[in-house]
Amino acid sequence: MKRLGILLSGRGSNFEAIAESIAAGCLDAEIAVVISNRADAPGLERARARGLKAVLIPSKGLEREAYDRLLVAELARHEVELVCLAGYMRLLSSVFIQAFPMRIVNIHPSLLPAFPGLDAQHQALAHGVKFSGCTVHFVDEHLDAGPIIQQAVVPVEDGDTDASLSARILKEEHRIYTEALRLVLSGQWRLAGRRVIAAGAD
Ligand code: GRF
């Protein structure tokens, strides 16, 4: 069973979706540790409530690489094999990426490469796109840029606000994060250029 490490900075609903999938037997993995860089992240408390190991490592005032070394050490201590970013609001340095090459995944609330960065749902609405969605991707040293594992599309409706579009996207996030993890953990995929190809798909 693969050991997951979850990094979050806030609410933690994607973390909870992963935890639910594991509890339901839909994902053959265990959550070894949940780490937050923010003391006020509700996700930390939610992790504790599930009886999981939840660790606060405050990032404030620390230089990025020094902080990432602390994170890598904590993940190594818990023998984490795959790192799942779930609303983790910090860029990772190369120190971190090199410690977990192709073993860090992230979820982003847009159809990448459209609308990387903060407030992706607001960016999509402001741009006037008719469809948006979410993306699970491997993490490299660039922002929201690594190879795409899974995407889901949602329509943008005329009456949408940031909140209503975010809610529609979030529902799909919860679904595809598990699906993407299932593929990654199965090992039944390969990389062709930037393309993540599932075994049997060609
Ligand atoms: C999600 O929209 C995710 O795509 C983005 O940050 C948000 C985190 O939400 N990276 P939650 O903390 O998982 O509820």
Side-chain angles (χ1 to χ4, degrees), residues 100-119:
F100 291 95
M102 293 299 278
R103 289 194 293 134
I104 311 166
V105 293
N106 181 42
I107 184 142
H108 183 76
S110 76
L111 293 173
L112 290 172
F115 314 125
L118 290 176
D119 298 325

Side-chain angles (χ1 to χ4, degrees), residues 122-146:
H122 177 77
Q123 291 185 53
L125 211 50
H127 194 91
V129 294
K130 300 299 184 191
F131 292 90
S132 190
C134 46
T135 304
V136 181
H137 63 95
F138 286 109
V139 175
D140 64 14
E141 289 168 28
H142 306 283
L143 178 66
D144 299 327

Side-chain angles (χ1 to χ4, degrees), residues 67-77 95-96 99-100:
Y67 182 73
D68 282 1
R69 277 194 198 95
L70 295 179
L71 279 185
V72 169
E74 188 68 23
L75 292 164
R77 192 170 301 132
V95 165
F96 195 110
F100 291 95

